[in-house]
């Protein structure tokens, strides 16, 4: 085996591990049963099944195709890739529906790689990274305000992103636990400052069941470079979003369909000559009250 072959093999092994990691993270953080009335469960389940039935009838699905689907569904579970599948191909519609009435900054999908409890600073922070962390240094600054323009001191800005090889800490081996993950509490005028490195575009894991679907359908597996963020403040609705870099070839055909024009950054050369800097301001809608 050549060095290149070994490198590719290591990459595949890393990709294979992300499914199990994402499943375990979901079980730890979010796998609670929704308090949904039986009537709504029945409606949603029935309509999903009716859509499947209609597709089978419209395309004259054969038994061979049906059995291939069953085998693939089984393998998705065995690979631990249900979080990946749902976050890549379904979540963007759920996010669209749930944020339709929210004013302020645009959100987009969370994806499967969020981890709560990242180290935080106040006003400014530098994300934890390796001494030889590859990537262009990036200074990210901005403000957090309410929809009426009022600054929101104490707003929490959480950030996480892939490294220059497309891997996330806690979902790939040999990366420090909180690498390129952190949070910052906005200061008295709602401003924040984060130092990190610019992430690279990456392919979603392709050696498991999701990759088999991509290959069979003739799709691509690329996500454009992006920063993940969660921004929240007391009395306001949480915004989960991603910010993108202009010029990325996959901004227009993101496999996860998560790119929005409002989420595009405008990088400029850093004033100190070291890398790039971006400014992005967040506007939070007030929390809704239920009577």
């Amino acid at each position: 085996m050549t060095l290149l072959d070994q490198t590719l093999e290591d990459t595949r092994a890393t990709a294979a591990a992300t499914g199990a990691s994402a499943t375990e993270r979901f079980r730890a953080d979010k796998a609670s049963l929704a308090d949904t009335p039986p009537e709504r469960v029945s409606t949603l389940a029935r309509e999903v099944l009716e859509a499947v039935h209609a597709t089978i009838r419209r395309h004259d699905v054969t038994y061979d195709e049906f059995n291939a689907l069953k085998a693939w569904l089984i393998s998705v579970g065995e690979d631990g890739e249900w979080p990946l599948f749902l976050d890549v191909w379904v979540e963007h519609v759920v996010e669209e529906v749930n944020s339709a009435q929210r004013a302020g900054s645009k959100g987009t999908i969370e994806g499967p790689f969020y981890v709560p409890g990242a180290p935080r600073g106040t006003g400014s922070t530098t994300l934890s990274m390796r001494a030889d962390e590859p990537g262009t240094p990036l200074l990210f600054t901005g403000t957090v305000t309410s929809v009426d323009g009022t600054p929101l001191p104490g707003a929490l800005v959480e950030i996480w992103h892939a490294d220059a090889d497309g891997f996330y800490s806690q979902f790939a081996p040999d990366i420090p636990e909180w690498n390129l993950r952190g949070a910052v509490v906005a200061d008295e005028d709602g401003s924040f400052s984060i130092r990190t490195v610019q992430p690279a575009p990456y392919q979603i894991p392709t050696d498991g069941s999701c990759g088999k679907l991509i290959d069979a359908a003739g799709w691509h597996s690329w996500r454009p470079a992006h920063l993940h963020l969660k921004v929240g403040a007391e009395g306001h609705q949480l915004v989960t979003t991603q910010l993108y870099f202009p010029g990325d070839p996959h901004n227009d055909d993101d496999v996860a369909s998560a790119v929005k024009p409002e989420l595009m950054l405008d990088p400029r050369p850093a004033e100190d000559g070291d890398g790039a800097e971006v400014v992005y301001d967040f506007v939070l809608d007030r929390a809704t009250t239920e009577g």
Side-chain angles (χ1 to χ4, degrees):
M1 178 180 290
T2 67
L3 178 60
L4 176 59
D5 290 336
Q6 182 62 57
T7 300
L8 292 174
E9 184 64 31
D10 291 343
T11 300
R12 283 193 293 270
T14 299
T18 61
S21 297
T23 296
E24 289 307 309
R25 175 61 60 184
F26 177 81
R27 287 172 173 162
D29 297 337
K30 298 178 181 176
S32 59
L33 295 176
D35 185 15
T36 306
E39 296 80 7
R40 182 164 174 81
V41 173
S42 177
T43 296
L44 296 177
R46 184 176 62 252
E47 291 192 12
V48 168
L49 290 172
E50 287 173 352
V52 173
H53 301 162
T55 299
I56 293 170
R57 293 188 176 102
R58 185 163 60 249
H59 297 285
D60 296 322
V61 171
T62 68
Y63 257 106
D64 284 344
E65 292 168 333
F66 176 59
N67 288 329
L69 172 64
K70 286 198 288 185
W72 180 78
L73 291 172
I74 292 169
S75 70
V76 173
E78 291 174 341
D79 293 341
E81 289 199 336
W82 278 118
L84 179 65
F85 173 81
L86 293 168
D87 291 348
V88 169
W89 287 294
V90 180
E91 187 187 355
H92 69 281
V93 182
V94 179
E95 189 278 329
E96 175 187 322
V97 169
N98 281 264
S99 66
Q101 304 304 315
R102 188 183 66 216
S105 294
K106 291 289 185 180
T108 191
I109 68 173
E110 178 181 307
F113 301 135
Y114 170 67
V115 179
R120 67 176 64 179
T122 299
S124 65
T125 192
T126 297
L127 298 192
S128 174
M129 62 185 80
R130 294 161 287 193
D132 58 348
E133 191 70 43
T136 301
L138 182 69
L139 173 62
F140 174 35
T141 62
T143 60
V144 186
T145 62
S146 185
V147 286
D148 63 1
T150 304
L152 294 175
L156 182 64
V157 180
E158 297 182 83
I159 181 171
W160 70 102
H161 61 82
D163 65 13
D165 294 318
F167 296 124
Y168 288 82
S169 60
Q170 302 193 36
F171 294 89
D174 303 322
I175 300 177
E177 181 180 17
W178 294 108
N179 204 65
L180 303 178
R181 296 178 181 272
V184 61
V185 178
D187 63 19
E188 290 304 312
D189 61 357
S191 64
F192 65 89
S193 173
I194 300 168
R195 289 191 177 275
T196 183
V197 295
Q198 186 168 322
Y202 64 85
Q203 291 178 287
I204 67 169
T206 56
D207 59 316
S209 299
C210 289
K212 291 176 182 176
L213 173 62
I214 288 170
D215 287 342
W219 300 341
H220 76 77
S221 59
W222 283 94
R223 294 226 59 212
H226 56 278
L227 305 172
H228 291 267
L229 295 118
K230 283 181 177 287
V231 184
E234 184 176 356
H236 291 75
Q237 297 181 47
L238 176 72
V239 170
T240 299
T241 195
Q242 298 177 23
L243 300 179
Y244 301 89
F245 297 83
D248 192 295
H250 294 293
N251 282 337
D252 294 330
D253 64 355
D254 174 23
V255 66
S257 302
V259 180
K260 299 178 182 180
E262 299 88 347
L263 303 179
M264 201 63 58
L265 293 166
D266 183 19
R268 305 289 178 86
E271 289 188 4
D272 62 7
D274 188 17
E277 59 183 47
V278 293
V279 178
Y280 196 89
D281 299 322
F282 295 97
V283 179
L284 304 187
D285 199 3
R286 296 191 180 279
T288 58
T289 56
E290 297 181 2

